[in-house]
Amino acid sequence: MKKAIRNTIIVLLSLLVLAGCGKKAEETNNEDVELTVWVHPYVGAEKKEAIEAVYAKMTEEFKKDNPNAKITFEEIPWADRETKITTALAAKEGPDVFYLIPDQISQFAEKGLLADLNEHITKDDLNGFTETSVSAVTYKDKLYGLPILRESQTLFYNKAVLEDIGGDVNNLPTTWDEFNELGKKAVAKGYYARTYEGGNTLNTSLYPLVWQAGGDIVNDKNEISINNEKSVKAFEQINEWYKDGLIAKDSITSDDQGSMFLEGKILATWSANNMINLAKENDVEVLIGSPLKQEVEVTYGTTGAFVVASTSTNQAKAAEFVKVMTNEDNMREFNTVTGHIPAREAAMDILKDNPAMLQMAELTKIAKPGVINSEARVFMPDVQAAVQAMLEGKLTPQQAADKAAEDIQSYLK
């Protein structure tokens, strides 16, 4: 009898626990949730409505399980975005969710501004993402974001210019030496060999060349290698291009030589996926080449991710919304509109009829996401100034690399 009574009590207690869980789940689903998401102008004005429709779809999907949720998307400019975000978060007035790339993630993480998503994201939630994209948003073993897009960069050749200098459209250069040989032919015919935007981010100018030479800049352990024997080869190569006229005289400070390429003044341009559409819009036939190598074939390619602010008062729901934003269907929609490469393998099917974009997607496998160090964005202007001083003739390549190393050291903790 006692055993029967005890079993009855256990059953009743179990039912009460289940009922409590159901009530809790119901309360959670119907709670008032307000999230602010900061995004950027990923598209031009002509696609404004299309991208807003994507955001609306994300919100609608989230509200199926969170009917009382209010999601507000706010667009902020690309320019000076880091300062705007950090200032807002410091005042605890910033967004719950916002967009970062890997070298920014390390910086924001070290300042304690990002939520560790390992507390809200399971391994199963990461199924389907490419390994390189997840790695790019992981810093010191902590997951700080979920990837939404990828990008890769390489050399695009103006086919008309290439044919004019006697180049082989079916045999594009794969090494520095091969490119230099072709580049000299371009200069002899009155063209520049390639773009080099010394006033632009080093991710698209110096750094890929350093990696291709087998060198590096600095790692997350603060070990500096930008002035070692291999890395200096990149400085020497840039200096040689400038002296020999393979790159334009304004390469010291220019931040956009793409127009010169599209006008037929330059043989090749270092660019990302967006060059495919730009060339079409300007009726320029381009060929996608290798990013080249001295010792290693490697390129720069960012991974864009949505992260959760550590100042958010509802980190769990913010993380849940990030999962919705980056799920398979929404990733397809977002990248179809923005023209980027999806960070999920299954979503890559949007590129199946686009051989050029598939070629760029293949390059993400050899793409580095930037310099992963918390001070990478901070010391970049100083390193850039050292390269500019070299091109102005004030420093030798080795001196420029040593100056860059000295400046980096001054910022490291």
Side-chain angles (χ1 to χ4, degrees), residues 146-161:
L146 286 183
I148 185 76
L149 65 84
R150 292 182 299 164
E151 178 190 88
S152 60
Q153 299 190 353
T154 193
L155 283 171
F156 289 78
Y157 293 80
N158 185 313
K159 186 180 178 184
V161 175

Side-chain angles (χ1 to χ4, degrees), residues 78 135 264 315 325:
W78 290 109
S135 173
Q315 292 182 18
M325 294 179 77

Side-chain angles (χ1 to χ4, degrees), residues 155-388:
L155 283 171
F156 289 78
Y157 293 80
N158 185 313
K159 186 180 178 184
V161 175
L162 181 64
E163 291 175 334
D164 186 43
I165 65 172
D168 186 349
V169 297
N170 297 311
N171 189 26
L172 298 176
T174 59
T175 67
W176 286 9
D177 288 342
E178 290 174 359
F179 178 81
N180 291 342
E181 183 180 347
L182 186 64
K184 288 173 183 177
K185 292 180 180 179
V187 172
K189 293 275 286 189
Y191 303 103
Y192 292 113
R194 60 160 287 168
T195 55
Y196 182 83
E197 298 167 349
N200 207 336
T201 170
L202 296 181
N203 287 332
T204 64
S205 54
L206 173 69
Y207 292 167
L209 294 166
V210 170
W211 299 324
Q212 288 167 12
D216 206 349
I217 293 83
V218 60
N219 59 23
D220 61 0
K221 297 177 182 178
N222 291 345
E223 297 167 336
I224 300 171
S225 51
I226 194 170
N227 60 334
N228 68 20
E229 183 180 355
K230 291 183 177 180
S231 299
V232 170
K233 289 180 181 178
F235 288 80
E236 292 171 342
Q237 180 63 89
I238 297 166
N239 202 43
E240 182 182 315
W241 283 339
Y242 190 71
K243 284 184 174 181
D244 294 345
L246 272 71
I247 56 178
K249 289 299 179 185
D250 72 347
S251 295
I252 298 177
T253 56
S254 174
D255 62 359
D256 183 11
Q257 294 177 340
S259 57
M260 291 176 65
F261 170 77
L262 294 171
E263 290 166 6
K265 298 177 181 178
I266 304 178
L267 168 64
T269 183
W270 181 265
S271 190
N273 347 316
N274 63 318
M275 180 51 66
I276 296 171
N277 286 330
L278 282 173
K280 286 180 181 177
E281 291 168 5
N282 287 272
D283 295 321
V284 177
E285 189 172 358
V286 295
L287 302 171
I288 301 174
S290 160
L292 303 184
K293 68 176 180 179
Q294 169 67 9
E295 184 174 307
V296 183
E297 185 182 25
V298 63
T299 185
Y300 168 74
T302 196
T303 295
F306 284 107
V307 301
V308 174
S310 60
T311 54
S312 172
T313 57
N314 206 338
Q315 292 182 18
K317 286 297 180 183
E320 186 181 330
F321 186 61
V322 169
K323 284 195 286 185
V324 170
M325 294 179 77
T326 59
N327 68 27
E328 192 175 309
D329 288 339
N330 287 327
M331 188 173 291
R332 280 194 183 94
E333 298 276 353
F334 181 90
N335 287 287
T336 296
V337 173
T338 62
H340 287 291
I341 300 165
R344 285 180 177 272
E345 290 288 358
M348 290 279 287
D349 58 7
I350 65 171
L351 308 178
K352 66 180 184 220
D353 297 322
N354 192 333
M357 282 297 289
L358 285 173
Q359 195 171 343
M360 298 302 292
E362 191 67 20
L363 289 175
T364 62
K365 296 176 182 178
I366 58 168
K368 286 181 176 285
V371 177
I372 306 306
N373 182 282
S374 61
E375 302 300 312
R377 307 288 290 196
V378 181
F379 62 65
M380 189 180 286
D382 293 76
V383 177
Q384 186 177 58
V387 178
Q388 291 170 333

